[in-house]
Amino acid sequence: MRKVKVLVACGGGIATSTFAAAEIEKIAQNVQVSVDITKHPLGDVPAVAREYDICFVTSKYSQDIGTPIVQVNGLITGIGEEEVIGRIEKSLREVSEQVNSYS
């Protein structure tokens, strides 16, 4: 099975995305989805998003980038964290099924 290529983006692409990426990695392991995670600043998203299967952002982002976007700020703030984890689990499963349906 091919790993899901994951982009995690925050304002600067360093601190917040590092924390979010670690949490997303744990969630992916829990749902048995193999991921390859890369971090970028939010400003890079339009230029690099098409290289990824899914993009997780730590703040609001509404631009169409041709890649599914999931807002995960609840991982950082703790507000609605369980709901956010559920969205991450669901989106990782769906994307994994999509990218591996051709194998």
Side-chain angles (χ1 to χ4, degrees):
M1 278 183 100
R2 173 168 94 63
K3 289 183 175 186
V4 174
K5 294 184 223 167
V6 174
L7 173 62
V8 178
C10 72
I14 300 171
T16 307
S17 62
T18 299
F19 177 79
E23 293 300 306
I24 292 166
E25 175 75 34
K26 289 177 198 173
I27 294 165
Q29 288 174 357
N30 288 339
V31 295
Q32 299 178 340
V33 172
S34 184
V35 293
D36 183 15
I37 299 176
T38 304
K39 302 174 298 176
H40 273 279
L42 204 55
D44 289 355
V45 169
V48 301
R50 293 188 187 267
E51 299 171 25
Y52 297 91
D53 301 313
I54 190 164
C55 178
F56 294 101
V57 295
T58 62
S59 59
K60 290 185 179 185
Y61 193 87
S62 59
Q63 185 175 345
D64 181 11
I65 57 171
T67 300
I69 299 173
V70 179
Q71 291 183 10
V72 298
N73 53 326
L75 288 178
I76 309 305
T77 65
I79 299 170
E81 186 175 14
E82 290 303 316
E83 181 183 333
V84 170
I85 290 170
R87 281 198 312 260
I88 294 168
E89 290 172 342
K90 182 179 183 220
S91 61
L92 285 173
R93 284 188 194 112
E94 289 173 353
V95 171
S96 179
E97 287 175 15
Q98 289 173 352
V99 301
N100 289 295
S101 66
Y102 304 107
S103 300

